[in-house]
Amino acid sequence: MASLGQVLSVLTQNAANAVYPNGLMQPSTAGVDTTIISGWPIRNKIDEVLSAGKALISVFPTSKVKIVTKFERVYQEITVNTPTLTATVLNNTITIGGTVSTPLSVMAIVNNIGYSYQVQTGDTLNSIATNLALLIPGATAVANVITITGVYSLDAKVITTGTAAYELSRQERVFLVRCWATSPTIRDNLMNPIDIAFKVNYRIVLPDGFYGIVFPMESPQPFLDDWEKQLMIIGNLEYKVQYATTVTEDFYTIGDTIENLEVVNKIT
Amino acid sequence: MNGYGIDQKIRFGYAKAAKKLGKPFELYRSATPFTPLATGNLVGSLPAVVTIDWQWMKSNKPGNAIWWILIDGQDSSAPLSAQEGDYLVGDQTFFILTKEYQMPMSAVECNRVVDIIRPSQSIDAGNQGYVAYTPPTSTTIMEGMPISILKDRAGNMAESKLPTDTDQPRWIIQMPNLGGVKILTGDIMIDDIGDNYVISLNEESEFGWRLTAKQVVNNKG
């Protein structure tokens, strides 16, 4: 799920990328060492930063929030793991190939009836073929090849795992990006690149694979010069981020869409 | 006899009185504010007695930790000669508050043992992640220091505003200045029963440190 803390982390990293566009080995856009943090600075440490003529950027979620949940709970596919096994059909044979790993299942669909074998730790290609053949009437396995007799329809699938997620809620919260500097020039040279970067990259990818949308806002107090006596020249930027709280679950891929039925003809 | 000689004569008198009237105390002298009562800092044992009145007719009252002390402070007795900042451990624990020229010496009675830590964060360039005060990310600046901590006033309601919360009391603290280590406002003091305090005022003078601190009522370490 995308949590508030994760949104905060992504914004903080984006701010860091904006003021260090060429990496930490090159100077920041303000020309002074700049610390970028989530949360608020420790007071003795901000003194240390500013008295050294350096700068600090802090990113913090404000209390301005609105719930904008209005979506159906529809699963969105996040990842499907690539199966390492293969099951290849040729005439009336299935050949098991690839590399053995778990969790995987191999399914043979013989005359429209599915037979599935879940790969166990320690299995080999040959043992998978043997175990699957044991499930299928009239099938024999030699090495990694299964031969089936009396077959008019044959298919084989490898079933793998994946994740999918759906939204539980969606919210918009205003985040405050505060630039702590010792001169208006440093402040400007930090605020402007961040503002441009946040407006260019307004779709942010969150750890759950969902996007957050960054809306530009205007801070009611962009400059705080009344703290100059503390040698603090402060600049505030505000952005509203819409993001979803999601739940991610593990799934198996579908091997066959037809359920096996045991048909019993009972004439009474 | 010059002034210094008279000073030493006065000290001799106090030492003689301490020998007659005193109880044994162990004297510890530490160059740093880190566990000053460690065995390695023990100088020796000597008699001492404290009083708040030279007439021997007044006992102490709650709210006062400062006593006159009769103890050997002669230069000729060094190193077993009480100096400012020395700790005395007997029935009670004291530290020597003053040893002023020709004046009687005074001592402060200690009632808690504390550590002082300073909230910290990385201020390196680049993204440093989430910053918040936690004890493990703080720097220890003093450890195992016996201090005097006495009540000041009730203070304001705790920020946490729990139904069972109470006011956050303010306290007055006295401790010796060992090794020149500075205490800053915003430092956190944690005492031997786990109470936490934030230093709100830091007075450094010839009397060592006089601090006021706000107790953080929900931060029982």
Side-chain angles (χ1 to χ4, degrees), chain A residues 8 12-13 16 20 24 34-45 48-49 60, chain B residues 118-133 184-187 199:
Chain A
L8 187 61
T12 306
Q13 185 56 48
Y20 280 102
L24 288 175
T34 305
T35 308
I36 300 104
I37 61 163
S38 305
W40 294 106
I42 301 284
R43 44 162 295 180
N44 292 322
K45 287 293 181 178
E48 205 175 312
V49 167
F60 199 75
Chain B
R118 181 164 302 155
S120 189
Q121 66 167 100
S122 167
I123 53 169
D124 291 344
N127 187 354
Q128 301 303 322
Y130 200 92
V131 168
Y133 156 66
L184 302 179
T185 56
D187 286 350
I199 307 298

Side-chain angles (χ1 to χ4, degrees), chain A residues 46 92 157 196 214 254-255:
Chain A
I46 188 73
N92 66 332
K157 300 273 176 61
I196 291 167
V214 181
I254 295 169

Side-chain angles (χ1 to χ4, degrees), chain B residues 28 30 32-38 41 87 89 93 110 112-117 140-147 175-176 178 189-192:
Chain B
Y28 291 83
S30 176
T32 69
F34 290 90
T35 47
L37 301 190
N41 294 328
Y87 277 105
V89 182
T93 300
C110 301
R112 282 272 178 268
V113 177
V114 299
D115 297 340
I116 297 184
I117 61 174
T140 302
I141 58 164
M142 295 191 181
E143 201 168 59
M145 288 283 286
I147 61 158
M175 61 198 299
L178 300 182
M189 189 173 80
I190 303 166
D191 72 12
D192 49 344

Side-chain angles (χ1 to χ4, degrees), chain B residues 13-84:
Chain B
Y14 288 135
K16 200 168 181 183
K19 208 171 171 183
K20 291 281 183 195
L21 297 167
K23 294 185 295 182
F25 281 86
E26 290 186 324
L27 187 143
Y28 291 83
R29 184 169 299 149
S30 176
T32 69
F34 290 90
T35 47
L37 301 190
T39 319
N41 294 328
L42 179 62
V43 178
S45 183
L46 77 174
V49 62
V50 292
T51 179
I52 58 161
D53 156 65
W54 296 119
Q55 306 302 314
W56 246 251
M57 288 303 288
K58 277 186 194 162
S59 57
N60 203 357
K61 293 192 177 81
N64 176 51
I66 302 175
W67 301 74
W68 301 118
I69 184 164
L70 293 173
I71 192 168
D72 187 351
Q74 301 173 89
D75 290 352
S76 58
S77 304
L80 200 53
S81 156
Q83 308 294 325
E84 284 179 2

Side-chain angles (χ1 to χ4, degrees), chain A residues 2 5 12 21 39 43 52 55 74 77 80 107-108 139 158 161 176 180 189 206 243 265-266:
Chain A
T12 306
R43 44 162 295 180
V74 179
E77 184 181 296
V80 177
M107 180 177 244
V158 177
T161 52
L176 171 66
W180 310 71
N189 289 337
L206 298 170
Y243 69 96
N265 292 323
K266 282 187 178 174

